[in-house]
Amino acid sequence: MSGEPKQAPAEADASDAAATGPTEVETGADAVVRALENAGVEHLFGVQGGAIMPVYDALYSSEMTHVTMAHEQGAAHAADAYGIVSGDPGVCMATSGPGATNLVTGLADSNMDSDPVVALTGQVPTDFVGSDAFQETDTVGVTGPITKANFFSDDPESVGTDVGTAFALAKRGRQGPTLVDLPKDVTKGAASEDPGEPRTPSTYSPPETAAPEAVSEATDVLAAADRPVILAGGGVIKAEACEELREFAVEHEIPVVTTMPAIGTFPEDHELSLEMAGMHGTGYANMAITMTDCMLAVGTRFDDRLTGGVETFAPDAEIIHVDIDAAEISKNVEADYPLLGDAKAVLEQLATAMPRSPEADEWREQCREWKQEYPMDYAAPEDDPVKPQYVVEAFDSATADDTIVTTGVGQHQMWACQYWTYTEPRTWVSSHGLGAMGYGVPSAIGAKLAADDDQEVVCFDGDGSFLMTCQGLSVAVREELDITIVVLNNAAIGMVRQWQDAFFGQRHMASEYPWVPDFDTLAEAFGARGFRIESYDEVESVVAEALEYDGPSVVDAHIDPGENVYPMVPSGGDNGLFALAEDQL
Amino acid sequence: MSRNQNVRRDGLEGPEPEERKRPVGRRNSQGIRVDPEVEVEHEPRRTIISAYVADEPGVLARVSGLFHRRQFNIESLTVGPTQNEGYSRITMVIEEPDPGIEQAKKQLNKLLPVVHVRELDEKPVARELVILKVDGDEPDKVQAITEMYGGETLDAGPRTITVQITGDESKIDDALDAYEQFGIREIARTGQAALARGEAETARVDETHT
Ligand SMILES: Cc1ncc(C[n+]2csc(CCOP(=O)(O)OP(=O)(O)O)c2C)c(N)n1
């Protein structure tokens, strides 16, 4: 991987030579760039355009690397993935109007998943605001409901501080996307101050530790439980609390279930791991969260894809809910023991306060039995079209443990959850709460740029999802990113087809593609390497070659178009009654 | 990796739903654990929420947008300046079951410009104002009713009389009923403005926000 363009234009050398230190602040745009530098930003993802041009101009001599994306949606998704993998806010940039509205899907995704992202949008000059000027959109209005905070900057002297505040807010407390709207006259206007380090406003004070009495009550209940379970949510990763969670679970031998964003918090090959619960979670995870009498839930918002119908969610359980956001406590599921605070700090408190391990040997044995009873075993007859699960497993076997997986949205995403064994946090990158098709290719780009140099990135995509953002291949080729995109090609928007089979009398309305491009050929046209899998014999060699290729490659894997995702809890259903096959739905 | 030939063709193996262990408990639709035998639903109640907010452009839009998007049932919303420059008070009357009221407060608190949120207790000092225009055919009777409700005549012409009444909500409702006989042409009614009674603070405001 290299941040340099393939054919560096002559000017690039000049700008590199000029980039010797932090940006001198002479304009609002300089202050914006300086604020990003002060925040330690290394990569930016964006697309140029009229209203944001002053900011780009100020970037010209900065040492930060800007990755020009093919579409602003891709910029937002790349920034989101960058934030997930690095833990620091990913930054995306777009011009006013269509540039800003193209970011919307990505910001909504980051907001749902509490991913740290900062978006910078150009805006028409302040005198024109409200006049329906060319490329004017009320960006702050449009993105208000889908950002943690957003700002309209109206002063060149404070615009840098606004950007710093946005950065600090994206990262602190419950993480999320923030946006600063930058009118062109403000970024062009004279400024002199270095905006300094990013800081959150004085009014913003997320809780740190939980009330000690509450912690000791909660640990008493947990220690006395017969059927305890830990439900790890994405907040555990956000709070860098995986170590604490692992130690607590292992020390007290409490089985661990994760939500989808929390994949990687707890090693899936550990005997206490029951893996992911919810709509397409494992049978054993869903049995455990249904039968538990005490659930320690950390950093989760009890999304409906996890809970199914709340009436039947962990109905016997006293719930201990650790969260940094008070509004998540008892929002969807009532918390008997709310512990408001940072997951890492509260897990440390719990570890200290825990009087003893629960005497729950029978339950531990039960969980082990469920793992035997509901194996994730799929049928893969030799003569059939290749099973998608087999392709996922083949890539998993051929790659190192720290390999990062990103996905589109659909069946392929679920197989990537289910059949890859995750052992490390920040190696699973997906669009969870929003379920945004098109997340795959740009997220692979963002993940690769945030990854360690020797860390591999594999993206599992669906043919439908891939077609939404495959223009990002041009970026991956230009930036020489070594990523492997595996299109689990069923010539259908399979997840929709699966629902039609189950709930709409097999009426395949608008879910089958009578024709899909040859994705391997398409990849070659972009300058990437293309591979194809059509039978089992080809799997091993293609996997090896695609991973071996040093640059972006696309594997067009023609999979069994009839394959569906199981287990499945229908939307609003009872987790304990998960279906193992269609006739159980 | 598994290439097991013997498992079912179109799904996974394992005990069928009806063969599984089942929990005994149940939650209600609000996610609250309940006795399976009795049905408990939280009844909505009316309450006043007061928010002390930084007076930034768009803050009212953010608050009303939040209530709309989260489907909180809001009856009235008023906003006005406070004794501290740069800060406003928003007073909201909402009708929700307890969990909804809690959520509304917490969600409001998450908005950056919102400094403090409090639900006012049972008996706050609360007032609203109505200006109404009635037909001017019976000025004496109109005057009598205005006096009865402690109101004020703001404008009197040959055809219309415009009066103002302030008071708590039920007084204003009663007054409106009383004016009905004259033919009400137009009404402009504010929402409630309220403060906590006595020494109790409506919103905790520390020095950084004064
Ligand atoms: C932007 C967007 N549009 C529509 C949907 C609805 N949707 C969910 S899954 C799915 C099918 C995805 O098809 P594909 O990417 O081919 O993946 P597959 O399910 O076949 O693996 C669709 C259309 C969505 N999640 N996101």
Side-chain angles (χ1 to χ4, degrees):
Chain A
M1 187 278 291
S2 134
E4 303 293 295
K6 231 176 181 179
Q7 288 165 313
E11 309 85 61
D13 294 332
S15 74
D16 283 349
T20 50
T23 297
E24 292 282 333
V25 177
E26 288 174 11
T27 63
D30 294 333
V32 168
V33 171
R34 182 62 182 265
L36 296 172
E37 290 169 347
N38 291 348
V41 172
E42 287 174 14
H43 291 96
L44 311 153
F45 303 89
V47 179
Q48 262 277 26
I52 193 89
M53 284 180 73
V55 182
Y56 272 92
D57 190 57
L59 276 175
Y60 188 76
S61 41
S62 169
E63 281 171 9
M64 294 183 292
T65 305
H66 177 270
V67 180
T68 300
M69 299 298 289
H71 189 295
E72 291 86 353
Q73 180 186 352
H77 288 329
D80 181 81
Y82 191 93
I84 294 174
V85 172
S86 71
D88 285 319
V91 182
C92 56
M93 301 171 62
T95 193
S96 64
T101 55
N102 274 350
L103 290 178
V104 165
T105 301
L107 294 174
D109 166 84
S110 306
N111 195 51
M112 281 291 221
D113 291 350
S114 311
D115 294 331
V117 165
V118 176
L120 304 176
T121 49
Q123 184 53 281
V124 301
T126 43
D127 281 354
F128 286 82
V129 168
S131 71
D132 300 324
F134 178 65
Q135 295 192 328
E136 183 191 354
T137 296
D138 173 12
T139 303
V140 164
V142 169
T143 60
I146 52 162
T147 50
K148 177 172 171 182
N150 65 13
F151 306 93
F152 179 86
S153 278
D154 57 3
D155 180 357
E157 285 295 359
S158 57
V159 64
T161 322
D162 288 346
V163 171
T165 307
F167 194 91
L169 277 170
K171 188 164 173 169
R172 194 159 163 234
R174 177 174 178 176
Q175 302 185 339
T178 58
L179 179 144
V180 188
D181 203 25
L182 305 164
K184 198 170 184 178
D185 56 327
V186 171
T187 49
K188 281 170 78 179
S192 53
E193 294 278 305
D194 172 350
E197 296 292 307
R199 282 177 42 195
T200 53
S202 62
T203 39
Y204 186 73
S205 50
E208 282 157 26
T209 51
E213 319 80 69
V215 171
S216 82
E217 277 179 39
T219 46
D220 286 348
V221 170
L222 186 58
D226 294 325
R227 307 191 300 277
V229 75
I230 294 175
L231 172 67
V236 177
I237 300 177
K238 299 281 154 45
E240 300 284 356
C242 294
E243 268 320 303
E244 288 75 6
L245 183 109
R246 289 174 183 201
E247 277 170 25
F248 189 82
V250 172
E251 164 85 19
H252 299 293
E253 285 184 84
I254 304 175
V256 181
V257 163
T258 73
T259 66
M260 188 157 71
I263 287 176
T265 42
F266 194 79
E268 292 185 332
D269 53 4
H270 193 284
E271 65 163 348
L272 287 170
S273 172
L274 301 174
E275 300 157 52
M276 179 178 87
M279 183 174 279
H280 291 298
T282 62
Y284 30 101
N286 281 328
M287 285 310 293
I289 58 168
T290 302
M291 296 306 296
T292 174
D293 67 348
C294 184
M295 175 183 282
L296 170 60
V298 189
T300 170
R301 60 185 176 84
F302 292 103
D303 172 75
D304 56 277
R305 291 279 145 129
L306 169 81
T307 60
V310 289
E311 291 90 344
T312 50
F313 177 75
D316 292 346
E318 296 213 80
I319 293 181
I320 302 165
H321 188 186
V322 180
D323 210 282
I324 197 157
D325 182 355
E328 289 307 336
I329 305 280
S330 301
K331 183 185 80 178
N332 295 339
V333 174
E334 191 191 39
D336 300 283
Y337 299 91
L339 299 179
L340 197 57
D342 170 70
K344 191 184 182 80
V346 178
L347 278 164
E348 281 167 3
Q349 289 180 287
L350 288 169
T352 313
M354 190 74 173
R356 61 188 159 84
S357 299
E359 287 168 25
D361 284 340
E362 233 173 273
W363 167 250
R364 294 178 184 110
E365 183 49 36
Q366 172 67 80
C367 290
R368 275 190 288 272
E369 260 170 45
W370 281 327
K371 279 171 106 167
Q372 303 300 321
E373 280 179 359
Y374 299 103
M376 295 298 288
D377 249 347
Y378 57 92
E382 297 285 345
D383 52 344
D384 263 19
V386 178
K387 292 290 180 185
Q389 301 93 324
Y390 187 83
V391 178
V392 172
E393 288 180 333
F395 273 95
D396 189 12
S397 313
T399 49
D401 280 354
D402 67 352
T403 300
I404 296 170
V405 174
T406 90
T407 72
V409 168
Q411 293 180 314
H412 62 279
Q413 176 190 27
M414 296 303 133
W415 290 314
C417 293
Q418 294 176 331
Y419 292 92
W420 188 284
T421 305
Y422 298 88
T423 54
E424 293 302 324
R426 306 193 184 282
T427 59
W428 163 252
V429 179
S430 196
S431 173
H432 310 106
L434 193 69
M437 284 171 74
Y439 185 79
V441 175
S443 64
I445 293 170
K448 185 67 195 177
L449 286 163
D452 294 339
D453 286 346
D454 55 354
Q455 215 176 352
E456 261 176 305
V457 173
V458 175
C459 166
F460 289 102
D461 222 341
D463 39 294
S465 293
F466 181 72
L467 282 170
M468 286 197 181
T469 50
C470 59
Q471 72 277 51
L473 277 179
S474 64
V475 181
V477 170
R478 180 186 351 105
E479 301 289 331
E480 296 179 24
L481 301 179
D482 183 11
I483 57 181
T484 307
I485 296 158
V486 186
V487 182
L488 296 178
N489 183 355
N490 52 9
I493 47 177
M495 188 57 96
V496 170
R497 203 255 309 123
Q498 172 165 354
W499 283 45
Q500 287 168 334
D501 286 346
F503 311 118
F504 292 88
Q506 291 174 313
R507 290 150 62 90
H508 294 171
M509 177 65 197
S511 62
E512 282 170 337
Y513 294 150
W515 178 85
V516 285
D518 291 336
F519 295 118
D520 50 345
T521 318
L522 182 138
E524 300 276 347
F526 272 105
R529 276 296 302 276
F531 298 92
R532 178 181 292 232
I533 292 174
E534 281 172 331
S535 69
Y536 281 111
D537 314 336
E538 295 160 334
V539 175
E540 203 177 329
S541 59
V542 168
V543 167
E545 275 182 72
L547 290 171
E548 176 67 28
Y549 177 67
D550 186 15
S553 57
V554 174
V555 178
D556 186 358
H558 289 248
I559 56 156
D560 183 348
E563 190 66 15
N564 282 340
V565 183
Y566 294 104
M568 178 175 187
V569 180
S571 160
D574 179 334
N575 281 330
L577 300 179
F578 56 86
L580 293 163
E582 196 179 295
D583 59 8
Q584 293 172 5
L585 279 168
Chain B
M1 200 174 300
S2 152
R3 305 271 308 270
N4 188 341
Q5 303 275 344
N6 302 323
V7 293
R8 53 191 301 162
R9 172 73 188 67
D10 56 349
L12 299 171
E13 273 192 326
E16 309 243 333
E18 52 277 12
E19 297 163 17
R20 298 177 196 153
K21 283 203 169 137
R22 300 291 299 145
V24 291
R26 199 173 65 90
R27 292 178 187 274
N28 67 13
S29 60
Q30 284 147 339
I32 299 171
R33 245 171 343 125
V34 291
D35 183 337
E37 306 300 319
V38 279
E39 194 60 43
V40 246
E41 280 304 322
H42 288 258
E43 290 300 321
R45 66 180 173 88
R46 254 163 140 252
T47 191
I48 300 180
I49 291 178
S50 181
Y52 183 77
V53 304
D55 193 7
E56 296 171 3
V59 60
L60 189 59
R62 278 174 207 266
V63 170
S64 57
L66 171 76
F67 275 75
H68 171 67
R69 146 172 120 244
R70 300 240 174 222
Q71 299 200 8
F72 297 132
N73 200 352
I74 184 160
E75 297 204 347
S76 76
L77 186 152
T78 65
V79 58
T82 64
Q83 75 275 26
N84 302 319
E85 203 181 321
Y87 294 90
S88 301
R89 178 177 312 286
I90 299 182
T91 310
M92 289 150 278
V93 179
I94 68 167
E95 184 161 354
E96 281 288 327
D98 280 337
I101 293 170
E102 278 305 301
Q103 256 300 301
K105 290 193 300 197
K106 289 169 171 175
Q107 292 293 346
L108 266 175
N109 242 327
K110 281 175 70 169
L111 297 177
L112 213 56
V114 173
V115 178
H116 189 75
V117 178
R118 182 163 290 178
E119 181 185 353
L120 301 187
D121 59 12
E122 291 271 293
K123 293 239 172 307
V125 182
R127 284 291 177 274
E128 58 188 272
L129 176 148
V130 66
I131 298 177
L132 75 160
K133 188 181 288 180
V134 294
D135 288 344
D137 304 336
E138 298 173 283
D140 295 345
K141 280 190 173 175
V142 170
Q143 180 63 24
I145 288 182
T146 304
E147 273 167 24
M148 194 169 115
Y149 284 98
E152 203 180 319
T153 302
L154 302 177
D155 180 46
R159 300 232 155 75
T160 64
I161 301 171
T162 304
V163 301
Q164 159 199 310
I165 310 283
T166 47
D168 63 19
E169 201 188 359
S170 60
K171 173 175 160 191
I172 291 185
D173 288 343
D174 290 350
L176 290 177
D177 283 348
Y179 284 108
E180 198 72 57
Q181 54 180 311
F182 309 117
I184 297 177
R185 291 196 176 194
E186 282 182 316
I187 290 175
R189 186 170 176 174
T190 67
Q192 299 203 31
L195 289 178
R197 194 169 286 276
E199 291 268 279
E201 281 179 323
T202 307
R204 186 163 20 83
V205 183
D206 63 34
E207 274 129 44
T208 45
H209 301 107
T210 50

